[in-house]
Amino acid sequence: MNRSNARGWIAAAGCLGLMAVLGAAAPNTAPPKAAPTKTARTDLDQKWKQDLQGVLREDVRRLADPAWEGRGPGTKGQELAGQYLADHMRGFGLTPGGDEGTFFQTIEVTTGVEVGEPGGLDARGQRFKVGDDFQPIGFSTNGTLRAPVVFAGYGITAVAFDYDDYAGIDVHDKLVLVLTNEPGEMDSTSRFDGNVNTPHAELRTKAINAREHGALGILVVNGPRHHAGEPLRKPRADGAGYMTSGLLAAQISEKAAQAMLPAGTTLASLQDAIESQGRPHSVALKDSAVVTVTLKRTKAVIRNVVGWVPGRDTTRTLVVGAHYDHLGFGGESSLAPNEHVPHVGADDNASGTAAMMSLAARAAARAKAGRSPLHNLVFCAFTGEEMGLVGSGHFVDQPTRPVESIEAMLNMDMVGRLRDNRLMVMGVGTAAEFADMVAATNRGSDAFDLKTSSDGYGPSDHSSFYKRKVPVLMLFTGAHVDYHKPSDTWDKINYEGLAHVARFASALVDSLDARPRPAYIVAKADSSVGRIAGGGGYGSYLGTIPDYMKTEGGVLLSGVRDGSPAQKAGLRGGDVIVKFDGVRIDNIYDYTFALRSRKPGQEVRITVQRAGSDVDLMAVLGRRP
Ligand SMILES: [Zn+2]
Ligand SMILES: [Zn+2]
C-alpha cells in the first residue's frame, strides 16, 4: 500500500492485502474441449504442486535481491524486475496483455525532487547556502520570498488538545519559523498522545497549517532540547513528496535559526518556555529574511507487466494481480526513514508477485495441454502500488479486456509470512457468493484458520477494481515488524506457507472459473483492514473515495461510501473537492489535513467542481467507522 496522510494513510494502510480475486464462470457456454485423460490431468497439477515451493523461493529471492534496488519507481532495479516477470510470462506461453503487443503497460510518473539552484536563506546579513544549514523540503513551491519572520512555536493548531501556536499572532504574508515535532515529545504524559507523535508533528501538517493561517513560507528547525546537532535531510529524488504544500518550505540549522532571533534570545530558551509552561510562546521577530527554493521534479516511466490466457468464452474475464514495486531506497512510506538502503520488500510484495506468477504458469501449462479455462485469465504484476495504486488505477482505465467483462479480481499482497496457519481474506462481502465459496474452498486437511472481512476497499490494488464494481478478494498473511523496512528480506519468508497460499489462490480461481458471474454487492465497511494494517482512525469521517491518480487541482472522487456523510451531503463520483470548510484543497494532503482538523458532528461547507461549475454542499462529519 502507500504513504502517510495521503501517502501516509496509504502507506500505513497499504500493502495489506492478500488477495484473491476470483472470477465467476458462465453457465454453459462452449462445450469443453476433448478432456485429457485423468492421468495426464493429475500429473500436471501434481508436478505444479511438487515444484511450487522451490519456484516461489527462487522468484522471491530474485525479486528481493538488493541489486534490484527495492524495486523503486524510476530505478534500474524495478526495470530489471519488470523484464524478469515479462520474460517468465513469455516463457510460460502467456499472451502479451500490455501496450502494442508487449507485456508492458507504461506510465509516466513524478518520482520525487532534486534540489536545484538558486537556493538559500539570507538573514540579517548572513547567507546560508543549500547544504548543512539549509535544505528545501520536497513539498516546497519554487521561488523567492522576502518577508518578516514570525516564530510560531511548533507551528501547531490542535483544537482537540486545546493548543494553538498561531493564537494571537498575525502571520499573514509572512515567513514562519517553527520547531519540528510537538510539545512534550519525550514526555509520556504529554497531551499530544504521550511520547507517540500525533499527525501534528508531521512537516506536511505544519506547512498546510501555516499556509491556512496566511503565511507564504515556512522554515523548520530541529528543537535543541531533543534534536540538537541532527543533520538536515535532503529531499530525495526517489521519494514521494512531490505534491506541493502551496508555500515555500525549507529545513534550516539551529545556527541559521539563531541568526534570525534577537540578541539575548536563544532557540533553546524559546523552546524551554513552551515546554515548561505548556503553552505557546509565539513572537513576531524584528527583521525580514529572504528564502529561495528551486526544486526540479524528477520523472520516470514505470511499467505494469500483464499477460493472459484466453478463455473458451472470451467475453468473460478473471484477473489475478499482485504489485511487484516496493519503496526503493525508502522515502516517505518507509518505517526506517533514516536508512537510505534498498527496501527489498520480500513479503511486500515479492511474495504475492511470486504466487501470482505461479498461478500464471499453471494456467498456461494447462491451456497448452488442452485444458483452457472458461474465462480469460489475466495476470497482472502491478507497478506504482506504493505510490498510491498507480499501476492498478492505470490498468482499470486501459484494461487488457473490457472492465465490464471482469467478473472478479483476486489480489495478493504480503502473503509470505504465514503464522499459526492464519490467512486473512478480504472482500468476501463484495459478491453474494463469496463467503460460501471461500469457506467451501478452505476444506480438508489443508484448511487455513481463515479470518475474513467483507470490505472491498483497502490499501492495495483490489481497491482499484472494486471502485469499478468488480467483486474482489484479497489474501494477506498479516503485518509484522519488518513491514516497510529494509529488514523485509527473503530469508524470513515462510515458503511452505507461501506455497499453501498459492494453492488456495489457485483453487479460488478454479472455483470462480466454474461458476456463473458473481453478483456484485456493496460491501459493508469494516475497520478490520485498518486495524490489521496498524493505521488508526484519527479525526473526522466523510466517507469519500479519492482517486489517487489526480495529484493537484483538487481531490477527485471516484465515489462515496454507501450511507456515509458524504453521500448524505450529495457528494458523488466525479466531483473534485477544491475547498473544505474554508481550507483550500489542492491535493490529498490538504484534504487529510482538513478532515483531521475538524471534529465529528461538525457541519462543514464543501465546494466541489462538477460539470464545469462550483457547487457548495453541506455535510455533517461523522466518526471513523
Ligand atoms: Zn504491498
Ligand atoms: Zn507496501
Side-chain angles (χ1 to χ4, degrees):
M1 241 264 219
N2 356 46
R3 319 162 208 206
S4 166
N5 293 355
R7 302 297 209 174
W9 152 148
I10 303 179
C15 292
L16 258 204
L18 300 187
M19 97 74 161
V21 171
L22 316 171
N28 43 28
T29 33
K33 296 188 179 167
T37 65
K38 179 134 198 247
T39 323
R41 173 173 314 186
T42 312
D43 286 354
L44 200 61
D45 272 352
Q46 265 181 2
K47 171 113 179 59
W48 180 74
K49 283 180 185 167
Q50 263 167 20
D51 296 346
L52 187 54
Q53 204 173 307
V55 169
L56 293 168
R57 180 191 297 266
E58 174 61 12
D59 274 356
V60 171
R61 199 185 57 74
R62 287 296 296 272
L63 290 166
D65 190 316
W68 283 358
E69 303 175 281
R71 307 182 305 284
T75 62
K76 186 77 186 161
Q78 190 184 94
E79 198 183 317
L80 292 170
Q83 191 63 52
Y84 173 87
L85 297 170
D87 289 347
H88 277 74
M89 285 188 180
R90 184 180 299 110
F92 300 155
L94 296 191
T95 304
D99 307 333
E100 290 155 14
T102 71
F103 285 97
F104 299 112
Q105 289 188 321
T106 61
I107 313 160
E108 193 188 54
V109 293
T110 301
T111 51
V113 292
E114 278 170 4
V115 180
E117 287 291 331
L121 168 71
D122 289 290
R124 289 208 304 221
Q126 291 193 62
R127 170 98 184 125
F128 300 96
K129 291 188 292 193
V130 172
D132 295 342
D133 293 310
F134 181 93
Q135 283 292 347
I137 299 174
F139 54 65
S140 177
T141 54
N142 284 334
T144 294
L145 170 68
R146 173 187 296 275
V149 184
V150 176
F151 173 73
Y154 287 93
I156 290 173
T157 299
V159 183
F161 301 131
D162 190 25
Y163 182 94
D164 186 4
D165 282 310
Y166 288 92
I169 56 166
D170 176 17
V171 302
H172 234 89
D173 297 338
K174 297 199 172 123
L175 181 60
V176 297
L177 169 65
V178 306
L179 298 161
T180 55
N181 294 294
E182 57 193 16
E185 185 192 347
M186 304 286 181
D187 173 5
S188 61
T189 65
S190 158
R191 66 183 132 171
F192 284 89
D193 208 0
N195 46 17
V196 175
N197 272 353
T198 71
H200 295 292
E202 292 168 12
L203 294 185
R204 176 82 70 163
T205 309
K206 292 174 194 262
I208 298 171
N209 195 35
R211 183 194 79 204
E212 289 302 310
H213 281 90
L216 297 179
I218 183 170
L219 297 172
V220 183
V221 60
N222 279 321
R225 186 175 264 237
H226 302 299
H227 301 281
E230 280 179 20
L232 307 187
R233 228 190 278 164
K234 277 191 212 168
R236 289 178 184 162
D238 64 347
Y242 51 85
M243 285 190 247
T244 82
S245 55
L247 79 178
L248 287 175
Q251 212 187 342
I252 61 172
S253 65
E254 187 180 341
K255 182 174 144 204
Q258 196 60 52
M260 288 181 273
L261 300 177
T265 305
T266 64
L267 192 61
S269 67
L270 287 170
Q271 187 178 25
D272 286 345
I274 301 170
E275 293 290 330
S276 60
Q277 294 167 35
R279 60 179 177 82
H281 280 264
S282 301
V283 55
L285 306 178
K286 285 214 173 60
D287 297 291
S288 290
V290 183
V291 182
T292 302
V293 171
T294 305
L295 290 172
K296 292 180 199 145
R297 267 62 193 167
T298 51
K299 302 262 184 198
V301 170
I302 58 175
R303 307 184 293 184
N304 285 335
V305 187
V306 187
W308 62 295
V309 176
R312 303 197 303 277
D313 181 348
T314 54
T315 66
R316 307 179 62 194
T317 304
L318 301 174
V319 175
V320 180
H323 76 88
Y324 75 99
D325 66 298
H326 195 49
L327 304 176
F329 290 85
E332 281 193 13
S333 295
S334 170
L335 295 178
N338 294 321
E339 295 178 52
H340 190 72
V341 296
H343 287 50
V344 293
D347 187 31
D348 187 9
N349 184 30
S351 66
T353 304
M356 180 277 293
M357 292 295 283
S358 76
L359 266 61
R362 174 177 179 263
R366 286 161 63 104
K368 218 179 277 177
R371 295 163 57 204
S372 291
L374 181 57
H375 295 69
N376 306 311
L377 298 183
V378 179
F379 297 93
C380 302
F382 295 116
T383 185
E385 191 271 353
E386 303 284 9
M387 307 174 76
L389 316 186
V390 170
S392 54
H394 178 84
F395 180 87
V396 296
D397 281 343
Q398 296 182 37
T400 305
R401 306 298 300 162
V403 157
E404 306 72 49
S405 79
I406 303 175
E407 298 187 358
M409 190 273 180
L410 175 64
N411 185 27
M412 289 181 273
D413 193 352
M414 298 175 67
V415 289
R417 296 279 193 116
L418 188 74
R419 282 149 291 170
D420 302 329
N421 202 35
R422 196 179 310 118
L423 177 67
M424 273 149 276
V425 183
M426 296 165 214
V428 297
T430 64
E433 304 87 336
F434 277 2
D436 288 346
M437 184 190 80
V438 168
T441 307
N442 188 46
R443 285 241 179 95
S445 58
D446 213 22
F448 290 101
D449 173 12
L450 280 194
K451 305 286 176 218
T452 60
S453 79
S454 54
D455 208 348
Y457 290 112
S460 188
D461 294 308
H462 55 290
S463 280
S464 299
F465 290 79
Y466 188 55
K467 274 182 192 169
R468 299 295 185 96
K469 301 201 173 353
V470 175
V472 296
L473 288 171
M474 150 83 170
L475 308 184
F476 172 48
T477 49
H480 47 78
V481 293
D482 300 308
Y483 171 72
H484 279 203
K485 290 181 188 163
S487 52
D488 178 10
T489 50
W490 76 278
D491 53 302
K492 293 177 187 155
I493 297 297
N494 172 356
Y495 290 98
E496 198 183 328
L498 179 55
H500 190 180
V501 173
R503 290 195 303 273
F504 182 65
S506 112
L508 288 173
V509 171
D510 286 352
S511 177
L512 285 166
D513 193 43
R515 59 177 63 225
R517 181 176 194 125
Y520 165 85
I521 48 178
V522 178
K524 218 170 50 153
D526 52 38
S527 53
S528 60
V529 172
R531 283 201 305 273
I532 292 164
Y538 183 89
S540 53
Y541 170 72
L542 192 56
T544 48
I545 302 154
D547 181 334
Y548 293 99
M549 296 292 279
K550 182 174 165 67
T551 56
E552 59 187 6
V555 168
L556 170 65
L557 301 184
S558 50
V560 297
R561 305 299 304 240
D562 236 37
S564 65
Q567 190 186 49
K568 288 174 192 152
L571 284 154
R572 58 193 199 211
D575 286 348
V576 178
I577 299 180
V578 293
K579 206 159 209 191
F580 183 105
D581 201 27
V583 178
R584 189 194 90 182
I585 307 295
D586 184 53
N587 57 45
I588 194 73
Y589 291 104
D590 295 333
Y591 184 51
T592 306
F593 172 89
L595 274 170
R596 281 178 171 167
S597 61
R598 301 299 186 270
K599 286 179 172 169
Q602 222 171 319
E603 190 179 32
V604 295
R605 180 184 300 275
I606 299 168
T607 308
V608 302
Q609 289 173 350
R610 183 184 286 172
S613 40
D614 284 2
V615 179
D616 278 357
L617 300 165
M618 299 304 295
V620 178
L621 298 173
R623 206 168 282 285
R624 285 195 165 274

